[in-house]
Amino acid sequence: ILKTWHGMMGEWPDLVAKPKIEYLASEKRENFTQHHVRIEVAPGRFTEDAYLLVPEGKGPFPAVVVVYYEAKTGIGEKGMLRDFAYQLAKRGFVTLSIGSPPETYYPTKD
């Protein structure tokens, strides 16, 4: 299966052992802190938009990655009924809300 996959899609990039994270902004929301971040997801490639929500208090905390088309939906700042990262953070989970790269939102004409 892997050989066929690599033949069709190409080899996976090397794993990033220690991904870089850039903190762009932070704000206190209810009982957690919301950090707007960029995260290295492949060598030299960063997320365009991601949010790390960290509950108040001393951990350890359970953690969840929330993936949607764009990160703001997961934190409750866009759309309704899909604010999974926000709802979990209010309940004591560390959540990382990320979306797909903007270039994947709509098909491009070649």
Side-chain angles (χ1 to χ4, degrees):
I1 293 172
L2 185 60
K3 182 179 177 184
T4 302
W5 178 272
H6 285 162
M8 291 189 301
M9 303 291 290
E11 301 254 346
W12 284 94
D14 291 335
L15 293 178
V16 180
K18 291 188 178 187
K20 296 177 183 128
I21 184 167
E22 298 174 12
Y23 286 82
L24 306 174
S26 296
E27 71 176 270
K28 176 89 170 74
R29 284 181 71 187
E30 298 176 34
N31 62 338
F32 62 89
T33 301
Q34 175 177 295
H35 303 280
H36 185 193
V37 296
R38 286 183 37 162
I39 301 169
E40 186 178 23
V41 293
R45 184 169 180 164
F46 287 79
T47 58
E48 291 294 319
D49 210 18
Y51 293 88
L52 179 64
L53 310 182
V54 182
E56 291 177 345
K58 186 177 178 186
F61 301 108
V64 175
V65 176
V66 175
V67 181
Y68 196 65
Y69 296 104
E70 42 66 43
K72 286 190 175 186
T73 296
I75 63 169
E77 291 189 7
K78 186 175 180 184
M80 295 178 59
L81 303 175
R82 294 179 179 93
D83 57 349
F84 305 119
Y86 167 72
Q87 293 296 332
L88 288 165
K90 289 193 326 180
R91 291 164 172 82
F93 285 75
V94 170
T95 59
L96 175 64
S97 182
I98 60 173
S100 58
E103 63 269 16
T104 66
Y105 292 173
Y106 303 103
T108 59
K109 294 180 182 179
D110 291 322

